[in-house]
Amino acid sequence: SAVISQKPSRDICQRGTSLTIQCQVDSQVTMMFWYRQQPGQSLTLIATANQGSEATYESGFVIDKFPISRPNLTFSTLTVSNMSPEDSSIYLCSVMGTGGVASNYGYTFGSGTRLTVV
Amino acid sequence: RKEVEQDPGPFNVPEGATVAFNCTYSNSASQSFFWYRQDCRKEPKLLMSVYSSGNEDGRFTAQLNRASQYISLLIRDSKLSDSATYLCVGPANAGGTSYGKLTFGQGTILTVHP
């Protein structure tokens, strides 16, 4: 399965600032996904990042708050903009497993970014 | 109704016990599901895929019941190292644009004690 390098692993940020999270994959993948996991909660999909097109956002998430870049097939960034304490969460990127068919291979996740906004 | 629902637990069992988690899903057309394991402060990791009637891997057995729309995970001979949160995962419901998207249950916490 793909190996994902995600950074930073954690950060403490002042409210009103922005943080950019990076994910590097060791193989080319068509689709990358960004998730949020709030304390004590399960994962919620933020958006799908495709190379060469704008990201597709889920209900409740907007591009101005969570701009995403996907410059090539191995890299993506998620920015959390104008942060507030409510943005404190774990952010995870993921890709489909080998073969590119989620139904058979599931997802591989980055190690996550633990964000605390103060 | 949530797309995937599971009992959050927690389940506290002694070593050696057999424990089962159930998860229900709302979309009868869903074809395949996954069980992920998430350790504290770690990312989820794929435990098993379920896309036919069931799947078995050592002490772990996953079953899919399409008639009743539930998935189960059975852990036999529990080990201390099995303590984790187990996430039931299925495909997202919304039409063609949902390709590749998954929806996560809220997770079931398992604690195995000596």
Side-chain angles (χ1 to χ4, degrees), chain A residues 31 33 35 37 42 48 58 92 96 100 102-107 109-111 114, chain B residues 32 34 36 38 41 43-44 46 49 51 87 99-102 104-107:
Chain A
M31 302 168 78
F33 304 87
Y35 286 85
Q37 187 173 28
S42 191
T48 303
E58 299 301 305
L92 300 120
M96 283 188 193
S103 63
N104 291 335
Y105 299 101
Y107 280 17
F109 288 85
S111 53
R114 185 175 297 272
Chain B
S32 54
F34 308 93
Y36 276 77
Q38 187 173 27
R41 296 178 178 270
E43 74 276 20
L46 181 64
S49 305
Y51 48 89
L87 299 164
Y99 177 73
K101 298 181 184 178
L102 298 179
F104 288 75
Q106 62 267 49

PDB file of all heavy atoms in Angstrom, chain A residues 31 33 35 37 42 48 58 92 96 100 102-107 109-111 114, chain B residues 32 34 36 38 41 43-44 46 49 51 87 99-102 104-107:
ATOM      1  N   MET A  31      -6.700  10.361  -6.591  1.00  0.00           N
ATOM      2  CA  MET A  31      -7.521  11.084  -5.632  1.00  0.00           C
ATOM      3  C   MET A  31      -6.856  11.084  -4.260  1.00  0.00           C
ATOM      4  O   MET A  31      -6.347  10.063  -3.801  1.00  0.00           O
ATOM      5  CB  MET A  31      -8.907  10.440  -5.525  1.00  0.00           C
ATOM      6  CG  MET A  31      -9.655  10.386  -6.855  1.00  0.00           C
ATOM      7  SD  MET A  31     -11.117   9.339  -6.792  1.00  0.00           S
ATOM      8  CE  MET A  31     -12.244  10.433  -5.949  1.00  0.00           C
ATOM      9  N   PHE A  33      -7.725  12.562  -0.250  1.00  0.00           N
ATOM     10  CA  PHE A  33      -8.842  12.985   0.589  1.00  0.00           C
ATOM     11  C   PHE A  33      -8.312  13.628   1.869  1.00  0.00           C
ATOM     12  O   PHE A  33      -7.314  13.175   2.420  1.00  0.00           O
ATOM     13  CB  PHE A  33      -9.719  11.784   0.949  1.00  0.00           C
ATOM     14  CG  PHE A  33     -10.234  11.031  -0.258  1.00  0.00           C
ATOM     15  CD1 PHE A  33      -9.479  10.023  -0.826  1.00  0.00           C
ATOM     16  CD2 PHE A  33     -11.456  11.340  -0.814  1.00  0.00           C
ATOM     17  CE1 PHE A  33      -9.941   9.330  -1.937  1.00  0.00           C
ATOM     18  CE2 PHE A  33     -11.924  10.656  -1.923  1.00  0.00           C
ATOM     19  CZ  PHE A  33     -11.168   9.644  -2.489  1.00  0.00           C
ATOM     20  N   TYR A  35      -9.460  14.667   5.764  1.00  0.00           N
ATOM     21  CA  TYR A  35     -10.435  14.406   6.818  1.00  0.00           C
ATOM     22  C   TYR A  35     -10.123  15.253   8.053  1.00  0.00           C
ATOM     23  O   TYR A  35      -8.983  15.660   8.277  1.00  0.00           O
ATOM     24  CB  TYR A  35     -10.387  12.934   7.241  1.00  0.00           C
ATOM     25  CG  TYR A  35     -11.004  11.970   6.265  1.00  0.00           C
ATOM     26  CD1 TYR A  35     -10.269  11.470   5.197  1.00  0.00           C
ATOM     27  CD2 TYR A  35     -12.323  11.551   6.418  1.00  0.00           C
ATOM     28  CE1 TYR A  35     -10.834  10.578   4.303  1.00  0.00           C
ATOM     29  CE2 TYR A  35     -12.892  10.654   5.529  1.00  0.00           C
ATOM     30  CZ  TYR A  35     -12.143  10.172   4.478  1.00  0.00           C
ATOM     31  OH  TYR A  35     -12.712   9.286   3.600  1.00  0.00           O
ATOM     32  N   GLN A  37     -10.826  14.976  12.303  1.00  0.00           N
ATOM     33  CA  GLN A  37     -11.297  14.159  13.418  1.00  0.00           C
ATOM     34  C   GLN A  37     -11.263  15.008  14.670  1.00  0.00           C
ATOM     35  O   GLN A  37     -10.197  15.269  15.238  1.00  0.00           O
ATOM     36  CB  GLN A  37     -10.457  12.894  13.582  1.00  0.00           C
ATOM     37  CG  GLN A  37     -11.019  11.939  14.629  1.00  0.00           C
ATOM     38  CD  GLN A  37     -10.292  10.605  14.681  1.00  0.00           C
ATOM     39  OE1 GLN A  37      -9.106  10.516  14.359  1.00  0.00           O
ATOM     40  NE2 GLN A  37     -10.991   9.554  15.088  1.00  0.00           N
ATOM     41  N   SER A  42     -15.464  10.586  15.282  1.00  0.00           N
ATOM     42  CA  SER A  42     -14.930   9.826  14.167  1.00  0.00           C
ATOM     43  C   SER A  42     -14.475  10.779  13.068  1.00  0.00           C
ATOM     44  O   SER A  42     -14.445  11.991  13.251  1.00  0.00           O
ATOM     45  CB  SER A  42     -15.996   8.861  13.649  1.00  0.00           C
ATOM     46  OG  SER A  42     -15.429   7.940  12.739  1.00  0.00           O
ATOM     47  N   THR A  48     -12.262  16.310  -1.380  1.00  0.00           N
ATOM     48  CA  THR A  48     -11.517  15.412  -2.266  1.00  0.00           C
ATOM     49  C   THR A  48     -10.648  16.272  -3.167  1.00  0.00           C
ATOM     50  O   THR A  48     -11.147  17.218  -3.796  1.00  0.00           O
ATOM     51  CB  THR A  48     -12.482  14.572  -3.118  1.00  0.00           C
ATOM     52  OG1 THR A  48     -13.356  13.853  -2.243  1.00  0.00           O
ATOM     53  CG2 THR A  48     -11.727  13.607  -4.004  1.00  0.00           C
ATOM     54  N   GLU A  58     -17.131  18.887   0.895  1.00  0.00           N
ATOM     55  CA  GLU A  58     -18.339  18.313   1.470  1.00  0.00           C
ATOM     56  C   GLU A  58     -19.166  19.411   2.129  1.00  0.00           C
ATOM     57  O   GLU A  58     -18.681  20.511   2.395  1.00  0.00           O
ATOM     58  CB  GLU A  58     -17.968  17.241   2.496  1.00  0.00           C
ATOM     59  CG  GLU A  58     -17.193  16.081   1.900  1.00  0.00           C
ATOM     60  CD  GLU A  58     -17.947  15.365   0.805  1.00  0.00           C
ATOM     61  OE1 GLU A  58     -19.092  14.919   1.067  1.00  0.00           O
ATOM     62  OE2 GLU A  58     -17.413  15.252  -0.304  1.00  0.00           O
ATOM     63  N   LEU A  92      -6.280  14.684   8.735  1.00  0.00           N
ATOM     64  CA  LEU A  92      -5.630  13.534   8.113  1.00  0.00           C
ATOM     65  C   LEU A  92      -5.846  13.560   6.615  1.00  0.00           C
ATOM     66  O   LEU A  92      -6.943  13.864   6.143  1.00  0.00           O
ATOM     67  CB  LEU A  92      -6.210  12.219   8.655  1.00  0.00           C
ATOM     68  CG  LEU A  92      -6.079  11.965  10.144  1.00  0.00           C
ATOM     69  CD1 LEU A  92      -7.441  11.799  10.783  1.00  0.00           C
ATOM     70  CD2 LEU A  92      -5.251  10.716  10.392  1.00  0.00           C
ATOM     71  N   MET A  96      -6.540   6.176  -1.751  1.00  0.00           N
ATOM     72  CA  MET A  96      -7.061   4.831  -1.956  1.00  0.00           C
ATOM     73  C   MET A  96      -5.926   3.832  -1.913  1.00  0.00           C
ATOM     74  O   MET A  96      -4.799   4.153  -2.252  1.00  0.00           O
ATOM     75  CB  MET A  96      -7.736   4.737  -3.319  1.00  0.00           C
ATOM     76  CG  MET A  96      -9.085   5.357  -3.398  1.00  0.00           C
ATOM     77  SD  MET A  96      -9.811   4.947  -4.997  1.00  0.00           S
ATOM     78  CE  MET A  96     -11.166   6.087  -5.012  1.00  0.00           C
ATOM     79  N   GLY A 100      -6.384   1.415  -6.735  1.00  0.00           N
ATOM     80  CA  GLY A 100      -7.214   2.582  -6.962  1.00  0.00           C
ATOM     81  C   GLY A 100      -8.700   2.331  -6.822  1.00  0.00           C
ATOM     82  O   GLY A 100      -9.502   3.176  -7.138  1.00  0.00           O
ATOM     83  N   ALA A 102     -11.474   1.839  -4.193  1.00  0.00           N
ATOM     84  CA  ALA A 102     -11.681   1.903  -2.745  1.00  0.00           C
ATOM     85  C   ALA A 102     -12.444   0.702  -2.236  1.00  0.00           C
ATOM     86  O   ALA A 102     -12.227   0.247  -1.130  1.00  0.00           O
ATOM     87  CB  ALA A 102     -12.405   3.192  -2.380  1.00  0.00           C
ATOM     88  N   SER A 103     -13.335   0.167  -3.078  1.00  0.00           N
ATOM     89  CA  SER A 103     -14.177  -0.917  -2.597  1.00  0.00           C
ATOM     90  C   SER A 103     -13.376  -2.163  -2.280  1.00  0.00           C
ATOM     91  O   SER A 103     -13.815  -3.009  -1.523  1.00  0.00           O
ATOM     92  CB  SER A 103     -15.256  -1.237  -3.627  1.00  0.00           C
ATOM     93  OG  SER A 103     -14.668  -1.685  -4.834  1.00  0.00           O
ATOM     94  N   ASN A 104     -12.233  -2.312  -2.845  1.00  0.00           N
ATOM     95  CA  ASN A 104     -11.441  -3.507  -2.589  1.00  0.00           C
ATOM     96  C   ASN A 104     -10.279  -3.277  -1.634  1.00  0.00           C
ATOM     97  O   ASN A 104      -9.849  -4.195  -0.959  1.00  0.00           O
ATOM     98  CB  ASN A 104     -10.881  -4.064  -3.903  1.00  0.00           C
ATOM     99  CG  ASN A 104     -11.982  -4.638  -4.771  1.00  0.00           C
ATOM    100  OD1 ASN A 104     -13.028  -5.037  -4.260  1.00  0.00           O
ATOM    101  ND2 ASN A 104     -11.774  -4.666  -6.060  1.00  0.00           N
ATOM    102  N   TYR A 105      -9.765  -2.066  -1.586  1.00  0.00           N
ATOM    103  CA  TYR A 105      -8.496  -1.886  -0.893  1.00  0.00           C
ATOM    104  C   TYR A 105      -8.524  -0.866   0.222  1.00  0.00           C
ATOM    105  O   TYR A 105      -7.520  -0.641   0.862  1.00  0.00           O
ATOM    106  CB  TYR A 105      -7.417  -1.515  -1.907  1.00  0.00           C
ATOM    107  CG  TYR A 105      -7.209  -2.598  -2.944  1.00  0.00           C
ATOM    108  CD1 TYR A 105      -7.750  -2.494  -4.204  1.00  0.00           C
ATOM    109  CD2 TYR A 105      -6.491  -3.741  -2.623  1.00  0.00           C
ATOM    110  CE1 TYR A 105      -7.567  -3.499  -5.136  1.00  0.00           C
ATOM    111  CE2 TYR A 105      -6.306  -4.743  -3.549  1.00  0.00           C
ATOM    112  CZ  TYR A 105      -6.838  -4.614  -4.801  1.00  0.00           C
ATOM    113  OH  TYR A 105      -6.652  -5.604  -5.721  1.00  0.00           O
ATOM    114  N   GLY A 106      -9.633  -0.238   0.450  1.00  0.00           N
ATOM    115  CA  GLY A 106      -9.690   0.697   1.558  1.00  0.00           C
ATOM    116  C   GLY A 106      -8.789   1.901   1.335  1.00  0.00           C
ATOM    117  O   GLY A 106      -8.355   2.179   0.232  1.00  0.00           O
ATOM    118  N   TYR A 107      -8.536   2.592   2.376  1.00  0.00           N
ATOM    119  CA  TYR A 107      -7.725   3.800   2.357  1.00  0.00           C
ATOM    120  C   TYR A 107      -6.473   3.618   3.208  1.00  0.00           C
ATOM    121  O   TYR A 107      -6.471   2.888   4.186  1.00  0.00           O
ATOM    122  CB  TYR A 107      -8.488   4.952   2.996  1.00  0.00           C
ATOM    123  CG  TYR A 107      -9.511   5.651   2.142  1.00  0.00           C
ATOM    124  CD1 TYR A 107     -10.002   5.111   0.996  1.00  0.00           C
ATOM    125  CD2 TYR A 107      -9.990   6.900   2.540  1.00  0.00           C
ATOM    126  CE1 TYR A 107     -10.952   5.773   0.258  1.00  0.00           C
ATOM    127  CE2 TYR A 107     -10.933   7.583   1.800  1.00  0.00           C
ATOM    128  CZ  TYR A 107     -11.413   7.012   0.659  1.00  0.00           C
ATOM    129  OH  TYR A 107     -12.351   7.677  -0.071  1.00  0.00           O
ATOM    130  N   PHE A 109      -3.923   6.133   5.418  1.00  0.00           N
ATOM    131  CA  PHE A 109      -3.948   7.460   6.013  1.00  0.00           C
ATOM    132  C   PHE A 109      -2.557   7.967   6.332  1.00  0.00           C
ATOM    133  O   PHE A 109      -1.647   7.178   6.653  1.00  0.00           O
ATOM    134  CB  PHE A 109      -4.767   7.456   7.309  1.00  0.00           C
ATOM    135  CG  PHE A 109      -6.240   7.334   7.079  1.00  0.00           C
ATOM    136  CD1 PHE A 109      -6.833   6.097   6.923  1.00  0.00           C
ATOM    137  CD2 PHE A 109      -7.033   8.461   7.013  1.00  0.00           C
ATOM    138  CE1 PHE A 109      -8.194   5.984   6.697  1.00  0.00           C
ATOM    139  CE2 PHE A 109      -8.393   8.365   6.787  1.00  0.00           C
ATOM    140  CZ  PHE A 109      -8.976   7.117   6.628  1.00  0.00           C
ATOM    141  N   GLY A 110      -2.396   9.278   6.234  1.00  0.00           N
ATOM    142  CA  GLY A 110      -1.223   9.904   6.806  1.00  0.00           C
ATOM    143  C   GLY A 110      -1.296   9.822   8.320  1.00  0.00           C
ATOM    144  O   GLY A 110      -2.335   9.471   8.891  1.00  0.00           O
ATOM    145  N   SER A 111      -0.206  10.154   8.968  1.00  0.00           N
ATOM    146  CA  SER A 111      -0.127  10.001  10.420  1.00  0.00           C
ATOM    147  C   SER A 111      -0.889  11.085  11.171  1.00  0.00           C
ATOM    148  O   SER A 111      -1.017  11.020  12.389  1.00  0.00           O
ATOM    149  CB  SER A 111       1.329   9.994  10.866  1.00  0.00           C
ATOM    150  OG  SER A 111       1.994  11.134  10.367  1.00  0.00           O
ATOM    151  N   ARG A 114      -2.046  17.087  14.512  1.00  0.00           N
ATOM    152  CA  ARG A 114      -2.834  17.457  15.702  1.00  0.00           C
ATOM    153  C   ARG A 114      -2.713  18.953  15.895  1.00  0.00           C
ATOM    154  O   ARG A 114      -1.657  19.465  16.244  1.00  0.00           O
ATOM    155  CB  ARG A 114      -2.312  16.700  16.911  1.00  0.00           C
ATOM    156  CG  ARG A 114      -3.117  16.904  18.174  1.00  0.00           C
ATOM    157  CD  ARG A 114      -2.574  16.007  19.291  1.00  0.00           C
ATOM    158  NE  ARG A 114      -2.712  14.592  18.953  1.00  0.00           N
ATOM    159  CZ  ARG A 114      -3.773  13.864  19.218  1.00  0.00           C
ATOM    160  NH1 ARG A 114      -4.813  14.391  19.823  1.00  0.00           N
ATOM    161  NH2 ARG A 114      -3.798  12.592  18.879  1.00  0.00           N
TER     162      ARG A 114
ATOM    163  N   SER B  32     -19.299  -2.850  -0.313  1.00  0.00           N
ATOM    164  CA  SER B  32     -18.123  -3.272   0.450  1.00  0.00           C
ATOM    165  C   SER B  32     -17.903  -2.357   1.642  1.00  0.00           C
ATOM    166  O   SER B  32     -18.294  -1.189   1.626  1.00  0.00           O
ATOM    167  CB  SER B  32     -16.881  -3.282  -0.440  1.00  0.00           C
ATOM    168  OG  SER B  32     -16.725  -2.032  -1.053  1.00  0.00           O
ATOM    169  N   PHE B  34     -15.316  -1.813   5.458  1.00  0.00           N
ATOM    170  CA  PHE B  34     -14.007  -2.007   6.053  1.00  0.00           C
ATOM    171  C   PHE B  34     -14.117  -1.876   7.558  1.00  0.00           C
ATOM    172  O   PHE B  34     -14.968  -1.147   8.075  1.00  0.00           O
ATOM    173  CB  PHE B  34     -13.019  -0.944   5.556  1.00  0.00           C
ATOM    174  CG  PHE B  34     -12.962  -0.842   4.058  1.00  0.00           C
ATOM    175  CD1 PHE B  34     -13.761   0.060   3.390  1.00  0.00           C
ATOM    176  CD2 PHE B  34     -12.127  -1.659   3.329  1.00  0.00           C
ATOM    177  CE1 PHE B  34     -13.729   0.160   2.008  1.00  0.00           C
ATOM    178  CE2 PHE B  34     -12.084  -1.570   1.947  1.00  0.00           C
ATOM    179  CZ  PHE B  34     -12.887  -0.659   1.289  1.00  0.00           C
ATOM    180  N   TYR B  36     -11.530  -0.564  10.424  1.00  0.00           N
ATOM    181  CA  TYR B  36     -10.257   0.070  10.702  1.00  0.00           C
ATOM    182  C   TYR B  36     -10.020   0.031  12.203  1.00  0.00           C
ATOM    183  O   TYR B  36     -10.948   0.074  13.005  1.00  0.00           O
ATOM    184  CB  TYR B  36     -10.263   1.535  10.247  1.00  0.00           C
ATOM    185  CG  TYR B  36      -9.936   1.731   8.795  1.00  0.00           C
ATOM    186  CD1 TYR B  36     -10.882   1.480   7.812  1.00  0.00           C
ATOM    187  CD2 TYR B  36      -8.681   2.165   8.399  1.00  0.00           C
ATOM    188  CE1 TYR B  36     -10.584   1.659   6.478  1.00  0.00           C
ATOM    189  CE2 TYR B  36      -8.369   2.344   7.072  1.00  0.00           C
ATOM    190  CZ  TYR B  36      -9.330   2.087   6.118  1.00  0.00           C
ATOM    191  OH  TYR B  36      -9.025   2.265   4.795  1.00  0.00           O
ATOM    192  N   GLN B  38      -7.957   2.121  15.201  1.00  0.00           N
ATOM    193  CA  GLN B  38      -7.273   3.368  15.508  1.00  0.00           C
ATOM    194  C   GLN B  38      -6.784   3.335  16.945  1.00  0.00           C
ATOM    195  O   GLN B  38      -7.589   3.273  17.880  1.00  0.00           O
ATOM    196  CB  GLN B  38      -8.179   4.584  15.281  1.00  0.00           C
ATOM    197  CG  GLN B  38      -7.432   5.907  15.435  1.00  0.00           C
ATOM    198  CD  GLN B  38      -8.274   7.105  15.040  1.00  0.00           C
ATOM    199  OE1 GLN B  38      -9.491   7.087  15.105  1.00  0.00           O
ATOM    200  NE2 GLN B  38      -7.604   8.182  14.607  1.00  0.00           N
ATOM    201  N   ARG B  41      -4.170   8.503  19.562  1.00  0.00           N
ATOM    202  CA  ARG B  41      -3.273   9.490  18.975  1.00  0.00           C
ATOM    203  C   ARG B  41      -2.560   8.986  17.722  1.00  0.00           C
ATOM    204  O   ARG B  41      -1.499   9.480  17.362  1.00  0.00           O
ATOM    205  CB  ARG B  41      -2.242   9.954  20.005  1.00  0.00           C
ATOM    206  CG  ARG B  41      -2.884  10.686  21.172  1.00  0.00           C
ATOM    207  CD  ARG B  41      -1.868  11.096  22.204  1.00  0.00           C
ATOM    208  NE  ARG B  41      -2.493  11.843  23.288  1.00  0.00           N
ATOM    209  CZ  ARG B  41      -2.637  13.162  23.306  1.00  0.00           C
ATOM    210  NH1 ARG B  41      -2.185  13.878  22.302  1.00  0.00           N
ATOM    211  NH2 ARG B  41      -3.226  13.763  24.315  1.00  0.00           N
ATOM    212  N   GLU B  43      -3.176   7.380  13.480  1.00  0.00           N
ATOM    213  CA  GLU B  43      -4.107   7.375  12.367  1.00  0.00           C
ATOM    214  C   GLU B  43      -4.803   6.022  12.268  1.00  0.00           C
ATOM    215  O   GLU B  43      -4.286   5.013  12.738  1.00  0.00           O
ATOM    216  CB  GLU B  43      -3.372   7.690  11.048  1.00  0.00           C
ATOM    217  CG  GLU B  43      -2.503   6.552  10.504  1.00  0.00           C
ATOM    218  CD  GLU B  43      -1.128   6.496  11.102  1.00  0.00           C
ATOM    219  OE1 GLU B  43      -0.897   7.065  12.206  1.00  0.00           O
ATOM    220  OE2 GLU B  43      -0.259   5.859  10.478  1.00  0.00           O
ATOM    221  N   PRO B  44      -5.974   5.976  11.631  1.00  0.00           N
ATOM    222  CA  PRO B  44      -6.645   4.688  11.425  1.00  0.00           C
ATOM    223  C   PRO B  44      -5.826   3.802  10.494  1.00  0.00           C
ATOM    224  O   PRO B  44      -5.217   4.278   9.533  1.00  0.00           O
ATOM    225  CB  PRO B  44      -7.979   5.082  10.774  1.00  0.00           C
ATOM    226  CG  PRO B  44      -8.130   6.534  11.019  1.00  0.00           C
ATOM    227  CD  PRO B  44      -6.752   7.096  11.091  1.00  0.00           C
ATOM    228  N   LEU B  46      -6.120   0.050   8.272  1.00  0.00           N
ATOM    229  CA  LEU B  46      -7.038  -0.953   7.773  1.00  0.00           C
ATOM    230  C   LEU B  46      -6.825  -2.284   8.467  1.00  0.00           C
ATOM    231  O   LEU B  46      -5.706  -2.812   8.495  1.00  0.00           O
ATOM    232  CB  LEU B  46      -6.865  -1.107   6.259  1.00  0.00           C
ATOM    233  CG  LEU B  46      -7.785  -2.114   5.576  1.00  0.00           C
ATOM    234  CD1 LEU B  46      -9.239  -1.682   5.699  1.00  0.00           C
ATOM    235  CD2 LEU B  46      -7.394  -2.276   4.110  1.00  0.00           C
ATOM    236  N   SER B  49     -11.128  -5.910   5.062  1.00  0.00           N
ATOM    237  CA  SER B  49     -12.134  -5.532   4.087  1.00  0.00           C
ATOM    238  C   SER B  49     -13.242  -6.578   4.101  1.00  0.00           C
ATOM    239  O   SER B  49     -12.986  -7.755   4.347  1.00  0.00           O
ATOM    240  CB  SER B  49     -11.523  -5.474   2.683  1.00  0.00           C
ATOM    241  OG  SER B  49     -10.413  -4.625   2.652  1.00  0.00           O
ATOM    242  N   TYR B  51     -16.333  -7.570   1.501  1.00  0.00           N
ATOM    243  CA  TYR B  51     -17.114  -7.286   0.299  1.00  0.00           C
ATOM    244  C   TYR B  51     -17.811  -8.514  -0.255  1.00  0.00           C
ATOM    245  O   TYR B  51     -18.257  -8.526  -1.360  1.00  0.00           O
ATOM    246  CB  TYR B  51     -16.259  -6.620  -0.773  1.00  0.00           C
ATOM    247  CG  TYR B  51     -14.941  -7.270  -1.036  1.00  0.00           C
ATOM    248  CD1 TYR B  51     -14.798  -8.271  -1.967  1.00  0.00           C
ATOM    249  CD2 TYR B  51     -13.811  -6.860  -0.331  1.00  0.00           C
ATOM    250  CE1 TYR B  51     -13.570  -8.858  -2.199  1.00  0.00           C
ATOM    251  CE2 TYR B  51     -12.585  -7.460  -0.553  1.00  0.00           C
ATOM    252  CZ  TYR B  51     -12.467  -8.441  -1.487  1.00  0.00           C
ATOM    253  OH  TYR B  51     -11.255  -9.012  -1.701  1.00  0.00           O
ATOM    254  N   LEU B  87     -13.240   1.169  13.932  1.00  0.00           N
ATOM    255  CA  LEU B  87     -14.105   1.995  13.094  1.00  0.00           C
ATOM    256  C   LEU B  87     -14.723   1.164  11.986  1.00  0.00           C
ATOM    257  O   LEU B  87     -14.013   0.475  11.250  1.00  0.00           O
ATOM    258  CB  LEU B  87     -13.298   3.135  12.465  1.00  0.00           C
ATOM    259  CG  LEU B  87     -12.654   4.117  13.430  1.00  0.00           C
ATOM    260  CD1 LEU B  87     -11.594   4.950  12.732  1.00  0.00           C
ATOM    261  CD2 LEU B  87     -13.700   5.036  14.040  1.00  0.00           C
ATOM    262  N   TYR B  99     -17.733   8.618  -5.705  1.00  0.00           N
ATOM    263  CA  TYR B  99     -16.713   7.613  -5.983  1.00  0.00           C
ATOM    264  C   TYR B  99     -15.489   7.845  -5.128  1.00  0.00           C
ATOM    265  O   TYR B  99     -14.934   8.929  -5.096  1.00  0.00           O
ATOM    266  CB  TYR B  99     -16.322   7.652  -7.457  1.00  0.00           C
ATOM    267  CG  TYR B  99     -15.213   6.682  -7.754  1.00  0.00           C
ATOM    268  CD1 TYR B  99     -15.449   5.312  -7.791  1.00  0.00           C
ATOM    269  CD2 TYR B  99     -13.916   7.118  -7.957  1.00  0.00           C
ATOM    270  CE1 TYR B  99     -14.425   4.420  -8.032  1.00  0.00           C
ATOM    271  CE2 TYR B  99     -12.885   6.235  -8.206  1.00  0.00           C
ATOM    272  CZ  TYR B  99     -13.155   4.889  -8.245  1.00  0.00           C
ATOM    273  OH  TYR B  99     -12.140   4.010  -8.491  1.00  0.00           O
ATOM    274  N   GLY B 100     -15.061   6.787  -4.452  1.00  0.00           N
ATOM    275  CA  GLY B 100     -13.872   6.886  -3.627  1.00  0.00           C
ATOM    276  C   GLY B 100     -14.122   7.400  -2.237  1.00  0.00           C
ATOM    277  O   GLY B 100     -13.251   7.320  -1.388  1.00  0.00           O
ATOM    278  N   LYS B 101     -15.294   7.929  -1.966  1.00  0.00           N
ATOM    279  CA  LYS B 101     -15.553   8.493  -0.649  1.00  0.00           C
ATOM    280  C   LYS B 101     -16.056   7.412   0.288  1.00  0.00           C
ATOM    281  O   LYS B 101     -16.819   6.550  -0.088  1.00  0.00           O
ATOM    282  CB  LYS B 101     -16.598   9.602  -0.733  1.00  0.00           C
ATOM    283  CG  LYS B 101     -16.192  10.781  -1.572  1.00  0.00           C
ATOM    284  CD  LYS B 101     -17.294  11.835  -1.569  1.00  0.00           C
ATOM    285  CE  LYS B 101     -16.947  12.988  -2.487  1.00  0.00           C
ATOM    286  NZ  LYS B 101     -18.039  13.999  -2.515  1.00  0.00           N
ATOM    287  N   LEU B 102     -15.608   7.523   1.510  1.00  0.00           N
ATOM    288  CA  LEU B 102     -16.045   6.598   2.531  1.00  0.00           C
ATOM    289  C   LEU B 102     -16.692   7.367   3.668  1.00  0.00           C
ATOM    290  O   LEU B 102     -16.418   8.544   3.879  1.00  0.00           O
ATOM    291  CB  LEU B 102     -14.866   5.787   3.068  1.00  0.00           C
ATOM    292  CG  LEU B 102     -14.138   4.902   2.058  1.00  0.00           C
ATOM    293  CD1 LEU B 102     -12.980   4.188   2.727  1.00  0.00           C
ATOM    294  CD2 LEU B 102     -15.088   3.889   1.442  1.00  0.00           C
ATOM    295  N   PHE B 104     -17.547   7.055   7.863  1.00  0.00           N
ATOM    296  CA  PHE B 104     -17.048   6.367   9.039  1.00  0.00           C
ATOM    297  C   PHE B 104     -18.102   6.309  10.127  1.00  0.00           C
ATOM    298  O   PHE B 104     -18.804   7.297  10.390  1.00  0.00           O
ATOM    299  CB  PHE B 104     -15.814   7.094   9.586  1.00  0.00           C
ATOM    300  CG  PHE B 104     -14.600   6.922   8.744  1.00  0.00           C
ATOM    301  CD1 PHE B 104     -14.452   7.589   7.548  1.00  0.00           C
ATOM    302  CD2 PHE B 104     -13.588   6.068   9.158  1.00  0.00           C
ATOM    303  CE1 PHE B 104     -13.332   7.417   6.765  1.00  0.00           C
ATOM    304  CE2 PHE B 104     -12.452   5.892   8.389  1.00  0.00           C
ATOM    305  CZ  PHE B 104     -12.325   6.566   7.187  1.00  0.00           C
ATOM    306  N   GLY B 105     -18.206   5.164  10.773  1.00  0.00           N
ATOM    307  CA  GLY B 105     -18.978   5.079  12.001  1.00  0.00           C
ATOM    308  C   GLY B 105     -18.259   5.825  13.110  1.00  0.00           C
ATOM    309  O   GLY B 105     -17.110   6.250  12.946  1.00  0.00           O
ATOM    310  N   GLN B 106     -18.932   5.952  14.231  1.00  0.00           N
ATOM    311  CA  GLN B 106     -18.370   6.760  15.312  1.00  0.00           C
ATOM    312  C   GLN B 106     -17.307   6.036  16.105  1.00  0.00           C
ATOM    313  O   GLN B 106     -16.641   6.637  16.940  1.00  0.00           O
ATOM    314  CB  GLN B 106     -19.482   7.253  16.256  1.00  0.00           C
ATOM    315  CG  GLN B 106     -20.254   6.156  16.956  1.00  0.00           C
ATOM    316  CD  GLN B 106     -21.521   5.766  16.184  1.00  0.00           C
ATOM    317  OE1 GLN B 106     -21.483   5.527  14.984  1.00  0.00           O
ATOM    318  NE2 GLN B 106     -22.638   5.715  16.884  1.00  0.00           N
ATOM    319  N   GLY B 107     -17.105   4.749  15.809  1.00  0.00           N
ATOM    320  CA  GLY B 107     -16.039   4.006  16.471  1.00  0.00           C
ATOM    321  C   GLY B 107     -16.524   3.299  17.721  1.00  0.00           C
ATOM    322  O   GLY B 107     -17.386   3.795  18.444  1.00  0.00           O
TER     323      GLY B 107
END
